[in-house]
Amino acid sequence: MAPVDVRWKFLPGMGLLVWVAVLLWPVNATGQDQGPYQGLKDQKMVQKLKSFPHKANRWNVPPEDGRLLYDLILENGYRRVLEVGTSNGYSALWMGLALKQTGGELITIEINEQRAREAELNLKQAGLSEVVDVRLNDALDEIPQIKGAFDMVFLDADKSQYLQYYRMLNDKISKGGAITAHNVSNMGFAMDDFLKALRGDPQYETTIRRVSSRGVLIARKIKEGEQ
Ligand SMILES: C[S@@+](CC[C@H](N)C(=O)[O-])C[C@H]1O[C@@H](n2cnc3c(N)ncnc32)[C@H](O)[C@@H]1O
């Protein structure tokens, strides 16, 4: 029998190593998470985010977009936030965890009873019932009933209604605050009127962050004397 080339003996082991590397891809050599959880020191919080019960037909934001909202709240010290389109509460979980740190609160509106109840339960289990107020209603009816200003709003409900939400909320956004909106990259066609109106509004400076394929618009209301 011809002698086996010694290099072939290592092949199965090398294959195994490749698989281990692929499985450990989200974790670097120091055991720290990469991607959307990178730098989050509170491991209980990371656990809450990772164990969120995602389901089909709940249309949750990707974790990268949740992290973007989380960072936006912390970096700006935002305290009063409104979400339009709760579903079962995944983006509300990210924002609620940030608002717990700034001492703020989130009001989030959902039209569908089943999803609103799921959100309440998910947020309760994450210890955020005191921070997040889930309102079961059509946002078009609920928004006019909410008093006071918001530091940030996050639009993630019916894309064809974004223009209406913006018109109803414009006067309620504090200077230095922001309107943020989801799916501006992959569903921009359904909210053309909204994007056009916001880009033409000199009160705002607008950017689009594409940390996921969905695209998050951030329109920051300019403070007096900034321009
Ligand atoms: C894309 S999902 C929201 C996902 C959620 N932000 C998350 O990341 O977990 C959109 C939700 O908006 C709700 N919705 C649609 N139109 C609405 C309206 N007019 N008022 C309140 N909620 C609405 C839908 O029922 C749906 O649950």
Side-chain angles (χ1 to χ4, degrees), residues 91-104:
S91 46
L93 173 60
W94 275 102
M95 291 190 280
L97 290 167
L99 288 161
K100 198 170 180 177
Q101 296 172 57
T102 63

Side-chain angles (χ1 to χ4, degrees), residues 78 150-152 173-179 204 219-222:
Y78 290 151
F150 288 102
D151 297 321
M152 179 173 123
I173 310 293
S174 344
K175 299 261 166 70
I179 297 178
Y204 293 93
R220 187 175 164 277
K221 205 174 217 179
I222 298 159

Side-chain angles (χ1 to χ4, degrees), residues 26-129:
V27 179
N28 70 13
T30 59
Q32 295 293 306
D33 271 303
Q34 298 293 290
Y37 311 106
Q38 190 169 18
L40 298 179
K41 295 202 174 65
D42 183 343
Q43 286 309 307
K44 276 192 191 155
M45 188 175 94
V46 173
Q47 211 35 53
K48 282 174 193 167
L49 289 161
K50 286 186 174 175
S51 61
F52 184 86
H54 294 281
K55 278 203 218 173
N57 301 332
R58 294 298 182 266
W59 312 288
N60 302 130
V61 298
E64 292 75 12
D65 293 348
R67 178 64 190 268
L68 179 67
L69 298 170
Y70 173 92
D71 287 342
L72 209 53
I73 291 170
L74 288 184
E75 281 162 12
N76 293 282
Y78 290 151
R79 290 172 63 95
R80 193 157 191 258
V81 178
L82 174 73
E83 175 179 52
V84 184
T86 319
S87 186
N88 58 342
Y90 182 61
S91 46
L93 173 60
W94 275 102
M95 291 190 280
L97 290 167
L99 288 161
K100 198 170 180 177
Q101 296 172 57
T102 63
E105 58 160 356
L106 172 70
I107 297 174
T108 179
I109 312 170
E110 173 54 54
I111 201 169
N112 177 279
E113 181 162 12
Q114 170 70 24
R115 291 195 279 275
R117 297 292 160 244
E118 286 174 18
E120 274 179 337
L121 184 66
N122 291 335
L123 293 160
K124 185 176 175 196
Q125 284 172 350
L128 290 173
S129 295

Side-chain angles (χ1 to χ4, degrees), residues 14 132 190:
M14 301 252 301
V132 185

